[in-house]
Amino acid sequence: KGRTRSDVPEPEFTKSEHIPLTTHTDAFGNDPVPISWGHPDPAVRAPVICTVRHHAQRNAIGAHQGSYCVYTGLAVAAQKLDPDYVPDLSLTSPVFKIGPYPSWSDPKKIAALDPFGHMVTEYYSSWLEKGWDIRPTIAVTKAHIDLPECREALAKGRLVADGNILLESGQSICSKAAIEPVWYLPEI
C-alpha cells in the first residue's frame, strides 16, 4: 500500500520569514512531485502536496485546511503556533472508508476532490515517515442526529425505529464527510 520508504523522494524543507500566499499560479514549486490524476493506485497517483513546508515540491495551488488556513496564518503571525508545526497523524484513521468508485479513476469524472484524501496515513505513511507534510482533505465520522421531526414521526407511528439507522429515542445514526475541494483544473 503505497511506495516503500526508499521509493519516496526526499522532502525539501522551506524556511520563510513571511507567510506566503498559495492561491496564485506561481505557487507551484519548481520541482513539483508528479501527480497522475485519476490513477486508481494511490502510490502511482502520488499525494497532493499543498503545503508551504515543501515549496519547491508543491503540486497544487491552495493550502491545506481550505478556508481555515487563515487561522493557521494568524496563529503563526501572532507567534502562538510554530511555523514548522506538523500534526502527528500516526494514530489517525477514518471511522469508515468511502469508495473507491470506478468514476474516481476517470480524470474526466473526478475533478473536485482527492479520492484518497481520507486515507493519507494508510496510503502515504512512507511519505509521512520521511517528513513530508501531507494532510487529509476528507474527514469522515459517524454521528447521532436528533431531529424533532423524527421523534414526532416515531410517536405518531409514521416511522418505526430499526435500531440500526433510527433509534427508539428518535436519533438517527449517520455518516458524515467533510470534503476540502482539491481541483483538477484541466477538467474544470
Side-chain angles (χ1 to χ4, degrees):
K1 296 191 180 184
R3 296 180 185 191
T4 64
R5 188 170 164 85
S6 61
D7 293 341
V8 174
E10 289 296 326
E12 295 176 19
F13 296 96
T14 304
K15 279 288 204 186
S16 180
E17 295 298 317
H18 64 282
I19 300 167
L21 295 176
T22 59
T23 54
H24 51 84
T25 55
D26 292 335
F28 280 103
N30 57 8
D31 188 21
V33 170
I35 194 163
S36 298
W37 196 263
H39 200 285
D41 180 348
V44 174
R45 201 292 306 270
V48 173
I49 308 294
C50 198
T51 176
V52 295
R53 286 182 50 80
H54 315 296
H55 186 73
Q57 295 159 314
R58 288 173 58 88
N59 60 14
I61 297 172
H64 290 296
Q65 302 168 313
S67 60
Y68 292 100
C69 71
V70 141
Y71 299 111
T72 301
L74 289 172
V76 168
Q79 298 180 342
K80 300 294 182 186
L81 179 66
D82 180 349
D84 293 328
Y85 171 77
V86 177
D88 179 5
L89 302 174
S90 62
L91 298 176
T92 64
S93 63
V95 176
F96 63 93
K97 291 184 181 180
I98 303 170
Y101 301 105
S103 62
W104 289 8
S105 58
D106 182 345
K108 295 198 176 295
K109 293 184 179 176
I110 183 97
L113 67 89
D114 173 7
F116 308 119
H118 61 306
M119 303 297 295
V120 168
T121 55
E122 181 176 334
Y123 293 140
Y124 302 116
S125 60
S126 55
W127 292 72
L128 295 168
E129 289 168 6
K130 272 201 164 175
W132 284 92
D133 185 4
I134 302 167
R135 313 263 178 116
T137 58
I138 300 174
V140 295
T141 191
K142 296 254 183 198
H144 288 219
I145 296 181
D146 193 4
L147 299 171
E149 296 87 346
C150 287
R151 279 189 274 125
E152 179 185 329
L154 273 171
K156 292 185 176 180
R158 293 193 314 263
L159 286 177
V160 177
D162 66 356
N164 188 23
I165 295 174
L166 183 60
L167 304 179
E168 293 287 338
S169 66
Q171 287 187 333
S172 301
I173 309 298
C174 70
S175 301
K176 301 186 325 180
I179 301 173
E180 244 180 66
V182 178
W183 302 102
Y184 178 59
L185 295 178
E187 286 308 315
I188 303 289

